[in-house]
Amino acid sequence: MLNNSYTASDKNIIIHTPSPNKSKINTKCIYIKQNNNKHYKHKKSPSSSTLKNQHDQKKQLQPTTTSYSSKRSNSPHNTINASHNTTVDDEKDEDKILLTPPSSPESTPRVPSGPHNFHHKKKISSTYEYNNRILLAKRNGNIRVVMNEFLSMKKNNIPLTQHTYNLVLEAHAILRREGTTLTTMLKIYNEMIQANIQPNAYTYILMIRTLCKRDVEVQKTVAMLKRQSARIGQKNDDVGLLESERNLEKALAIFHYAVTDGVSVNSFEVEIFNQLLRVLSHYGDTADANFVYNQLQQPTVQAKPNSATYAALINLFGRAGDINTALHYYSVYIQVKDTLGPHDTSYIYNALVDCHLKCGLLEGALHVVEHEMIENKIKLTCIPYNSIIRHYCTHDQMAEAEALVERLIQGHKEDSTKYPYPDASSYGPILAAYCQSDKWEAATRIYDALIKTDISKAYGNLANYALLCLAHQDRRKALSVVYDMRGAALEPDPVLAGRIITAFAQSDEVDQAIEALSVLQQAMSARAQAKGFYHLIDASLSVVFRCICVRQVLDVMHTIMPLVNDNMALLNNCETFPTPYDIMCKTLLDSYFDRPDDSQDQFSTADFELVFDAAFMVYAHSEDHSSLNNVLVHLLEDMRELGVNVPFDLFTNVLNQIRSRGNLEAEAHWKAAFSMGSSSSSSVTVTKGSSSPRSSSNTERDIITEEEDDVIIEIVKENAKEEPSIFIPLSVSSDTNTSNASTKAEAISQEVLKAVMGGNCREAIRIFEDRIICRGLIPTPEVMRDVIALAGKQGDIQTALTMYNNSIYSFKDISDTQARDEAIYIATNSLLIGYAQMGNMDKAKVYYDRIKAMGHYPDSNGYASLLLGSAKCATDEATDALAIYDEAKRHNVKPTTFFYNVIISKLAKARKLDTALALFEEMRLFKVPANSITYGAIISASVRSGSESQSRRLFGEMLSSPSYQPRVGPFNNMMQFYVRQHPSRERVIEYFTELRRRHIKPSPHSYKLLMEAYTHIAPYDMPMAHKLLSDMIRCDRLRPQSTHYATLIYSYGILQRDVQSAERVFAEMKKAGIYPDEAVYQAMVDTFISNDHLEEAEHLYYEEMKTDTRFQRSGSPYIENLFIRGYGEKDQLEKAETIFEAMSDDKTQQHLFVIREPSTYEAMIRAYLENDQLDKAKTILHKMVKRDFPPKVIGVVANLISE
């Protein structure tokens, strides 16, 4: 959140008017009430009469008389009214890239003489440092950091300069979200004036450009809302709020002051004048347009009119109904067009066509298109024809409109170079007119033609047609429009979605209504669903009311549950009771218990989970605990009777909800009911003390490692260090001769195991083949299981596979069928473990399927290994882990500490704290002991989720646990939490001190985190950070690593903008014999680029890093991303493209190429956008979409282009 002083809507906003004398500020100000819809009146400034006299003397180039509009303020800096923060969506306009202004010498604090000179120098230095940090935050696109630094300057009385304000204003201009008001930006500008800091030309450019851009947004949004209101028949209150912003009036006020200071306007680019003229054309404001144009004509103004200027003027006077003045500017353009340089002439003629139409001169418009444009060899596009089509439709000349479209189609067939083919904007006005006049058949004919064009910007027309279909009872056609929308990446608005769903429901087409509900939810973004939450819930309720069986109600509930879960806050804040969702839950519960006894309905676990949740919703406000308890137990019994799986998650979820109600009796009742089923029913997944018949007696040893960054790695190492246990062999036969052979085979099998334990796998294979297979013996199955497992843990999977194949060959000779199957099973399970722990899940799946084909399931070690394997290759580790975990419990595999450690660690990585805590509680329930690795995993989950109180509580519980073994990992987790998530140097030191007090040796990562506490948290203590390099050696005999030097370089180069010190650290590192790694090179490259030392960055990259034979790339693109950013900022797109194209999307080529990641595409797109190359940015986005990146990631990057 930004500071409240910048987000709260004040009742009054004051803008002080700076006087033309730069040393003084006019203290006169005017107050304007927020949301005052009346046109405010202005007081004349002392300079306005002088300005008018000068203006009247200027030479006029147009026949109309130029005067300063009496509607607007003569005083250029009256109060600028900032209205409510109304957020709206519409088509995006591209931001013009804003350059960072230089520091303004006129407002830079001067160094006073006297005894306070040193203190003042320090203040100036602080200003410079703050400005640099604001600049960095702006470049990183972080408006929150910009405002935090700005507020910190004011809080600490750091002098604010013109440059400071320009940086902050520029950050808001560039980074503000599309559709948001300029409240904060206007307040900052007001403060600048009040602080006697004179704006410069760049300040005015920022404000005028942003206000004009915002005014265009408001125009489009108001038009869209009015069309939407007409479509749905509901008035939208946002229209009045938007129109009350008066952004154009504020832009003109600032423009007038830029004129009065006699300097600023002279350096304005012509685009600033054009922006004002384009916005003025929307209102037909000729008086202010004349004034703006006259300023552009002044000899002191560097900018000169271009083709866009004349197009805007022609459009403006046409909208005002003044065809003569419009034609005057057209004639001026004709006279000077050869002096304007290369430009697109069609803009002028398109404006001329539109101008004639606005003045009601259809024949004149047709003459321009059919004669003048052809005679002047202007390439014809659909734009002028579409203007004529809209004119026909507005005047109900539908036959003429369709005839013109048909003429274009035929003309295009005859001569495609002369006639354009109709586009969506050609058919759109015709479709809209037919929809408005309720002509469904004609509208359908036009719609079928429309969807053959690009409809990506035709949402309003598609929605109109869908509503017309509903009005004519063609619900299927209306739903097909939604499919067409999805094909064009459009999403239906909540009102349309609700009406389609409700239409099916009211026609008793329940199954179709459920289908529509699902389709529409999929077609809507999460944001749109949240915005239309109540529409969708009400529509869903209308479907539930029409359901005739519990199955249909369940289908509705399953469909809307993602919507409900994502918007639970909105549901909780609903003012009505019962809410629509409460009513749906009551209907579900009633329909479940009212179903006939002979019902053939099939229920799944997910179905029962919904019914349990519904029960809690229904009884949420009831004191009748006994009824709820009876319902819960009844549902549990039904699950068992129907043979439905009862996952342990369901038990814990219900238990947690009972506990939240504080009913101890109900808690005991639920536990008793669950335990009763656990002891007698095989349908319950996990039973206390149960074990798989295939469970191995291998015990997990708690091997303590120093791996702190990933608990998964620690668990792998822990498991890999387990020594195989030798088991009593299976009895393969009771025959005496066979028994003797088995004894001999067992002895040889032990020799094979010893050879593998000694690392001599080749000898082990020789013994097996020469002394077992050749002699026709059968090896001991349990020993061979351990041989296969041990070879796999040693990384020699080929030996494990050879041993497996030889064993299966021998086991086929076991006469006892059950013993043979058992032997093959445990060998296959062991090989599965080997492949899974290597991360080769494809091979592991092969042997998993073999085990299932035998009618068995992996044992606990097998399932745990599958979890470890999925940690190395699965895209959604937490989901995969829970799926495997659920299967293990379903087949009565007894959970172990090792098993829980893996799954909790995966949940920690996915930041699923609640589920991890539930499993942690489950361990206690089943009396599975938690070890130090368990606590490390659950603390990691808590830290990743950002819960400080939970993290500290669990950490304290770990220290007091009887099973706790001293380990550095959890300490590092807590230190990292207070370095990167909740910065507190004191807390970091506290945990490091406790680490020392408990005689636990810090790891290199511990020192890195402690170093970050001194280098990344202000005020920086660099001497102490440097001292830690020697402390590592002196106190703990740990050699500093490159990562520690990278920490120092990052602080100097990025946070403190001290390139020289960063280079000194880099040199010291190499002098100490420590070779730079990727983190060091990245920190140095970032330092050079962020401080405008691009050539030094290139030298480091091409001359040092590329030739460093000791340096090994990880394949990550972060260094290349920095160069793309740097080249983009320097307008060197060819170099940025070279870097980008040299990378690869093929992850299998990681050893040869740097692999592009989403951040790479984002960097390249930003580079193009900063250089106004939107088409190339879209091309990169198109390439990115083809990659298998998460939709959410692609959406974030796509927003850059839409903004």
Side-chain angles (χ1 to χ4, degrees), residues 1094 1098 1123-1124 1126-1137 1171:
L1094 188 53
E1098 289 176 327
F1123 275 104
I1124 292 173
Y1127 288 137
E1129 292 171 352
K1130 289 289 187 179
D1131 300 337
Q1132 299 179 17
L1133 286 180
E1134 297 81 4
K1135 290 186 176 181
E1137 290 167 343
N1171 290 274

Short mmCIF file of all heavy atoms in Angstrom, two decimals, residues 1094 1098 1123-1124 1126-1137 1171:
data_model
loop_
_atom_site.label_atom_id
_atom_site.label_comp_id
_atom_site.label_asym_id
_atom_site.label_seq_id
_atom_site.Cartn_x
_atom_site.Cartn_y
_atom_site.Cartn_z
N LEU A 1094 27.72 0.85 -19.75
CA LEU A 1094 27.40 -0.28 -20.62
C LEU A 1094 28.65 -0.87 -21.29
O LEU A 1094 28.77 -2.08 -21.45
CB LEU A 1094 26.39 0.14 -21.69
CG LEU A 1094 25.79 -0.97 -22.56
CD1 LEU A 1094 25.19 -2.08 -21.72
CD2 LEU A 1094 24.74 -0.39 -23.49
N GLU A 1098 29.97 -4.76 -21.26
CA GLU A 1098 30.29 -5.55 -22.45
C GLU A 1098 31.69 -6.15 -22.37
O GLU A 1098 31.91 -7.31 -22.74
CB GLU A 1098 30.17 -4.66 -23.70
CG GLU A 1098 28.73 -4.29 -24.05
CD GLU A 1098 28.66 -3.33 -25.22
OE1 GLU A 1098 29.57 -2.50 -25.36
OE2 GLU A 1098 27.68 -3.41 -26.00
N PHE A 1123 21.55 -7.30 -20.18
CA PHE A 1123 22.03 -6.64 -21.39
C PHE A 1123 20.87 -6.19 -22.28
O PHE A 1123 20.91 -5.10 -22.86
CB PHE A 1123 22.98 -7.56 -22.17
CG PHE A 1123 24.40 -7.51 -21.68
CD1 PHE A 1123 24.92 -8.54 -20.91
CD2 PHE A 1123 25.20 -6.41 -21.96
CE1 PHE A 1123 26.22 -8.49 -20.44
CE2 PHE A 1123 26.51 -6.36 -21.50
CZ PHE A 1123 27.02 -7.40 -20.74
N ILE A 1124 19.87 -7.03 -22.39
CA ILE A 1124 18.70 -6.64 -23.20
C ILE A 1124 18.09 -5.37 -22.63
O ILE A 1124 17.74 -4.44 -23.36
CB ILE A 1124 17.68 -7.79 -23.24
CG1 ILE A 1124 18.24 -8.98 -24.03
CG2 ILE A 1124 16.36 -7.32 -23.86
CD1 ILE A 1124 17.38 -10.22 -23.98
N GLY A 1126 19.65 -3.10 -20.77
CA GLY A 1126 20.59 -2.00 -20.98
C GLY A 1126 20.60 -1.49 -22.41
O GLY A 1126 20.60 -0.28 -22.66
N TYR A 1127 20.60 -2.43 -23.38
CA TYR A 1127 20.58 -2.01 -24.78
C TYR A 1127 19.27 -1.31 -25.12
O TYR A 1127 19.26 -0.35 -25.91
CB TYR A 1127 20.77 -3.22 -25.69
CG TYR A 1127 22.18 -3.79 -25.67
CD1 TYR A 1127 22.41 -5.17 -25.61
CD2 TYR A 1127 23.29 -2.94 -25.72
CE1 TYR A 1127 23.69 -5.68 -25.60
CE2 TYR A 1127 24.58 -3.46 -25.71
CZ TYR A 1127 24.78 -4.83 -25.64
OH TYR A 1127 26.05 -5.33 -25.63
N GLY A 1128 18.17 -1.77 -24.53
CA GLY A 1128 16.90 -1.11 -24.78
C GLY A 1128 16.90 0.32 -24.28
O GLY A 1128 16.39 1.23 -24.93
N GLU A 1129 17.49 0.54 -23.11
CA GLU A 1129 17.55 1.90 -22.55
C GLU A 1129 18.45 2.81 -23.38
O GLU A 1129 18.28 4.03 -23.37
CB GLU A 1129 18.04 1.84 -21.10
CG GLU A 1129 17.04 1.18 -20.16
CD GLU A 1129 17.63 0.92 -18.77
OE1 GLU A 1129 18.86 1.13 -18.62
OE2 GLU A 1129 16.87 0.53 -17.87
N LYS A 1130 19.40 2.22 -24.08
CA LYS A 1130 20.34 3.00 -24.89
C LYS A 1130 19.93 3.06 -26.37
O LYS A 1130 20.72 3.51 -27.20
CB LYS A 1130 21.75 2.39 -24.78
CG LYS A 1130 22.41 2.59 -23.42
CD LYS A 1130 22.80 4.03 -23.22
CE LYS A 1130 23.61 4.20 -21.94
NZ LYS A 1130 24.00 5.61 -21.75
N ASP A 1131 18.72 2.59 -26.69
CA ASP A 1131 18.24 2.59 -28.07
C ASP A 1131 19.11 1.74 -28.99
O ASP A 1131 19.20 2.00 -30.20
CB ASP A 1131 18.16 4.02 -28.63
CG ASP A 1131 17.22 4.89 -27.81
OD1 ASP A 1131 16.34 4.31 -27.15
OD2 ASP A 1131 17.36 6.12 -27.83
N GLN A 1132 19.77 0.73 -28.46
CA GLN A 1132 20.63 -0.15 -29.27
C GLN A 1132 19.92 -1.49 -29.45
O GLN A 1132 20.37 -2.53 -28.97
CB GLN A 1132 21.99 -0.32 -28.60
CG GLN A 1132 22.77 0.97 -28.43
CD GLN A 1132 24.11 0.77 -27.74
OE1 GLN A 1132 24.62 -0.34 -27.65
NE2 GLN A 1132 24.68 1.85 -27.26
N LEU A 1133 18.80 -1.44 -30.16
CA LEU A 1133 17.96 -2.63 -30.28
C LEU A 1133 18.63 -3.75 -31.07
O LEU A 1133 18.34 -4.92 -30.85
CB LEU A 1133 16.63 -2.26 -30.93
CG LEU A 1133 15.67 -1.48 -30.02
CD1 LEU A 1133 14.39 -1.17 -30.76
CD2 LEU A 1133 15.35 -2.28 -28.76
N GLU A 1134 19.52 -3.39 -32.02
CA GLU A 1134 20.18 -4.43 -32.78
C GLU A 1134 20.99 -5.34 -31.86
O GLU A 1134 20.98 -6.57 -32.00
CB GLU A 1134 21.11 -3.83 -33.85
CG GLU A 1134 20.40 -3.01 -34.91
CD GLU A 1134 20.09 -1.59 -34.45
OE1 GLU A 1134 20.50 -1.23 -33.32
OE2 GLU A 1134 19.44 -0.85 -35.19
N LYS A 1135 21.67 -4.75 -30.90
CA LYS A 1135 22.46 -5.55 -29.95
C LYS A 1135 21.54 -6.37 -29.05
O LYS A 1135 21.85 -7.53 -28.72
CB LYS A 1135 23.36 -4.65 -29.12
CG LYS A 1135 24.51 -4.02 -29.91
CD LYS A 1135 25.43 -3.26 -28.98
CE LYS A 1135 26.64 -2.71 -29.75
NZ LYS A 1135 27.58 -1.98 -28.86
N ALA A 1136 20.44 -5.76 -28.63
CA ALA A 1136 19.49 -6.50 -27.79
C ALA A 1136 18.95 -7.70 -28.55
O ALA A 1136 18.82 -8.81 -28.01
CB ALA A 1136 18.35 -5.58 -27.34
N GLU A 1137 18.62 -7.51 -29.82
CA GLU A 1137 18.10 -8.61 -30.64
C GLU A 1137 19.15 -9.70 -30.85
O GLU A 1137 18.83 -10.89 -30.86
CB GLU A 1137 17.65 -8.05 -31.99
CG GLU A 1137 16.39 -7.19 -31.90
CD GLU A 1137 16.13 -6.40 -33.17
OE1 GLU A 1137 17.06 -6.27 -34.00
OE2 GLU A 1137 15.01 -5.90 -33.33
N ASN A 1171 11.20 1.77 -27.07
CA ASN A 1171 11.63 2.39 -28.32
C ASN A 1171 10.49 2.47 -29.33
O ASN A 1171 10.71 2.55 -30.54
CB ASN A 1171 12.81 1.60 -28.91
CG ASN A 1171 14.07 1.78 -28.08
OD1 ASN A 1171 14.82 2.72 -28.28
ND2 ASN A 1171 14.29 0.87 -27.13
#
